[in-house]
Amino acid sequence: MTPQAMRSRVFLIPLLFFTSLRAADELPEPTISWEYPPVMTGSRVEVYRTIGDVKLNAHIFEPEDHAKTDRRPAAVFFFGGGWKGGTPGQFLPQCLHLAKRGMVAISVDYHVKSRHNVFPQDCVRDAKAAIRWVRANAERLGVDPDRIVAGGGSAGGHLAAATALLPGFEDDDNKGVSSAPNAMLLFNPAVVLAPADGHPDLLTAEKFADIRERCDGRPQEVSPYHFVRAGLPPSIIFHGTNDEAVSFPTVQLFQKVMSAAGNRCELKAYEGQPHGFFNPGRWKDEAGAGAKLHYYKTLAEVDAFLESLDYLTPAPIVETFDAGFDAKRFTTPIPNKNTEVRDGVLWTRGSSGGKYPPMVYLPVSGKDLAISFRYRHLGQGGMLWFFVDGDDGFGSVDHMLRVKLLRDGVQLQVDSHSLDPNHPLRQKQERPADKVSGAYRLNEFLPLERADLGANAWHTVKLVFSGESVAMSVDDKLWSKTLSRANFNAGKRKLLWMQNGGEKGIEIDDIHVEPSAPMP
């Protein structure tokens, strides 16, 4: 490949490449360990809790260049198994991946029914003790005590949620240290363990009876749903719609009440998938191939979620539309009837034939980003409308900032969100709330700022997000503005170019997206 072709590639984390592949046999085989005790390749072991003669291990995975003086984010994983069995090896591949991305990843053992004759309440005590242990030893472990993620699957997902939501269940070890994580990764989690008011058909009577028996007759005291409140850590849930062990409607309800309380809670629904759909190495043949694909897809979504929190650093994107152009990086199919790559640029033109002009979407991730691109008109009149989409603060993704590049100036529109249907800035009273978050889009229209963009010449657009502020410019000094809004301090998820350039169209080139430096 020529240097020019290499320069044109979009450089993203490898997982985004993996998720664009169609065949499971094209993907690397994850390192797995389903036995107990597990074989945890690449880890070291410390005991985080001792009760009687039982020592509970923490399997610690560290980045290659890790030092005790670091303050890295950490992820603590709890395995599934119905609080009866299971192995810390379930999350071995996720731990290896996150350590390569720069986090300290830890998969912990805990008491279970088959080995220790315990109830879920005892498992919750272990889980809270594990988070306390990591935070209490953060300086020695090279971990940031304010960036600890709790993750887990099924019963382990319940435990991860329990560390954040359930009061009590605190023991004397590391007393006074918070057991609450700063974020949650929940894989088909059991979050509703007792009847929910107003939802009589959520689970069958037989299912609730089984849960009650497992929980020693006291399921509500360990049911995360029943302790939802404002101010909880951000969370993401991965769940199959055909889950036979943990009913999909339970996580739908949990996500709804979490968002209604003002918490960020994302639900990634996997249509038609069963319980444990993301676990590589559990099945053979077609089911095994599907599990491997879903492992990589959920891992990519984990990365994007953690990047939005600044727990992982997103890789830069560089796209110059030369010989190495990879259309799979865009969610918009390229080429299409309006858009194609020609002569080393992206050419988009004409009418979509629908409600909106032709548009191009590019996925991104990260909170504080520096974004730049060039564009030029090929005909007369027209405009280019550039959107930045991000987390809406209530568990969904929507527009955050719109930059309308007209011929005679720049007009900005800020889109924020609220759960108040009567908010004075609500966009069109007939526009419904977001289906996922229940939030309403708010519009703030800023006045047109004059700038001469009439010539059919290349113009360079730059946006640098840092916290609640964004510094913007067109051709450096031709037009510039710094704007601060609370909703900018959130993860960025998509960039959108919408054009009205007629049949001659608009050309776009030199897209750059990378983490930004803090503003002075």
Side-chain angles (χ1 to χ4, degrees):
M1 183 177 290
T2 66
Q4 183 184 40
M6 284 294 293
R7 186 174 67 89
S8 73
R9 300 301 296 270
V10 179
F11 293 98
L12 290 172
I13 58 174
L15 285 179
L16 294 184
F17 170 73
F18 291 148
T19 55
S20 70
L21 296 174
R22 296 181 180 178
D25 57 9
E26 297 180 66
L27 299 169
E29 289 293 337
T31 302
I32 59 174
S33 178
W34 284 101
E35 62 265 45
Y36 186 89
V39 178
M40 302 294 270
T41 303
S43 74
R44 64 182 184 85
V45 178
E46 291 194 29
V47 174
Y48 78 90
R49 180 168 166 84
T50 301
I51 296 182
D53 59 354
V54 177
K55 297 182 183 297
L56 297 177
N57 288 333
H59 302 269
I60 304 169
F61 299 77
E62 298 166 330
E64 287 186 3
D65 57 348
H66 187 55
K68 290 183 178 180
T69 54
D70 292 344
R71 285 176 60 88
R72 296 179 184 266
V76 183
F77 287 100
F78 305 97
F79 58 84
W83 310 285
K84 295 181 177 181
T87 172
Q90 177 182 5
F91 286 97
L92 168 61
Q94 288 88 350
C95 286
L96 288 169
H97 168 76
L98 291 178
K100 288 181 180 179
R101 289 297 314 272
M103 293 181 69
V104 174
I106 304 170
S107 188
V108 301
D109 203 353
Y110 61 89
H111 290 87
V112 294
K113 186 78 170 179
S114 63
R115 293 190 283 267
H116 311 104
N117 194 31
V118 296
F119 293 102
Q121 287 84 344
D122 303 292
C123 305
V124 171
R125 291 186 180 91
D126 288 343
K128 289 199 168 198
I131 301 296
R132 286 199 310 273
W133 179 82
V134 173
R135 184 166 280 123
N137 291 277
E139 184 173 355
R140 180 177 63 81
L141 296 172
V143 163
D144 185 344
D146 296 322
R147 291 191 294 169
I148 298 174
V149 183
S154 192
H158 162 262
L159 296 180
T163 61
L165 279 85
L166 299 190
F169 300 99
E170 308 280 359
D171 288 341
D172 289 338
D173 49 335
N174 298 307
K175 190 173 183 179
V177 177
S178 173
S179 61
N182 305 101
M184 295 178 280
L185 305 172
L186 308 178
F187 296 81
N188 44 236
V191 287
V192 182
L193 304 188
D197 291 343
H199 303 276
D201 300 323
L202 190 63
L203 294 175
T204 65
E206 292 77 12
K207 185 67 173 179
F208 276 130
D210 174 63
I211 296 173
R212 174 175 289 275
E213 181 180 356
R214 295 190 192 205
C215 295
D216 196 26
R218 298 171 287 125
Q220 186 161 320
E221 69 181 15
V222 288
S223 177
Y225 167 82
H226 291 83
F227 296 93
V228 170
R229 58 195 179 277
L232 292 171
S235 58
I236 187 169
I237 302 171
F238 309 94
H239 215 100
T241 60
N242 284 4
D243 193 317
E244 71 288 353
V246 180
S247 172
F248 183 67
T250 62
V251 294
Q252 286 182 302
L253 177 61
F254 180 76
Q255 189 277 332
K256 182 178 180 180
V257 297
M258 284 281 283
S259 295
N263 302 304
R264 175 182 172 185
C265 183
E266 300 178 31
L267 174 56
K268 303 296 183 181
Y270 282 73
E271 190 65 34
Q273 293 305 308
H275 194 66
F277 67 95
F278 61 93
N279 288 318
R282 291 298 302 273
W283 300 278
K284 296 182 179 180
D285 303 325
E286 185 177 347
K292 185 165 73 168
L293 283 170
H294 291 126
Y295 159 74
Y296 278 110
K297 185 173 182 181
T298 56
L299 205 57
E301 291 173 330
V302 164
D303 278 4
F305 176 73
L306 294 175
E307 286 170 359
S308 76
L309 299 175
D310 280 350
Y311 286 21
L312 294 178
T313 301
I317 298 173
V318 179
E319 180 55 82
T320 55
F321 301 102
D322 291 323
F325 170 67
D326 185 356
K328 293 191 294 291
R329 302 308 185 191
F330 292 80
T331 53
T332 305
I334 300 174
N336 59 54
K337 71 174 185 177
N338 300 108
T339 304
E340 63 185 88
V341 173
R342 67 171 192 179
D343 300 327
V345 298
L346 184 70
W347 177 42
T348 179
R349 67 209 183 275
S351 169
S352 66
K355 181 178 179 181
Y356 300 105
M359 59 187 71
V360 176
Y361 270 108
L362 174 66
V364 298
S365 61
K367 184 167 69 71
D368 294 337
L369 295 179
I371 303 164
S372 64
F373 64 92
R374 298 192 306 140
Y375 80 98
R376 71 173 176 180
H377 287 270
L378 300 180
Q380 299 302 309
M383 63 90 183
L384 179 64
W385 208 356
F386 178 64
F387 294 60
V388 178
D389 290 5
D391 297 319
D392 70 358
F394 299 95
S396 192
V397 173
D398 197 7
H399 303 325
M400 177 182 291
L401 175 66
R402 311 187 205 191
V403 182
K404 186 177 287 188
L405 299 157
L406 302 166
R407 291 297 197 145
D408 59 350
V410 180
Q411 187 169 29
L412 302 175
Q413 179 177 329
V414 178
D415 295 316
S416 55
H417 298 81
S418 171
L419 296 176
D420 179 7
N422 299 313
H423 196 288
L425 294 180
R426 178 181 169 185
Q427 177 184 345
K428 299 179 182 178
Q429 290 299 311
E430 67 273 14
R431 180 184 175 87
D434 185 276
K435 292 181 179 179
V436 174
S437 68
Y440 298 93
R441 184 191 292 169
L442 312 181
N443 295 149
E444 178 190 359
F445 296 92
L446 279 69
L448 174 69
E449 299 191 16
R450 298 291 178 180
D452 184 5
L453 300 174
N456 288 355
W458 283 104
H459 299 290
T460 299
V461 180
K462 297 179 181 178
L463 295 87
V464 179
F465 286 91
S466 180
E468 295 186 354
S469 296
V470 58
M472 300 165 281
S473 67
V474 178
D475 296 340
D476 292 327
K477 296 183 179 180
L478 177 64
W479 174 86
S480 63
K481 186 178 185 68
T482 297
L483 190 65
S484 294
R485 296 292 187 274
N487 66 302
F488 294 161
N489 193 24
K492 315 301 184 291
R493 297 303 186 94
K494 293 183 288 187
L495 306 181
L496 164 63
W497 291 264
M498 182 185 293
Q499 63 83 19
N500 183 6
E503 287 305 314
K504 291 189 176 181
I506 292 174
E507 292 179 332
I508 299 170
D509 198 9
D510 293 326
I511 299 172
H512 291 254
V513 183
E514 61 185 2
S516 64
M519 288 187 182

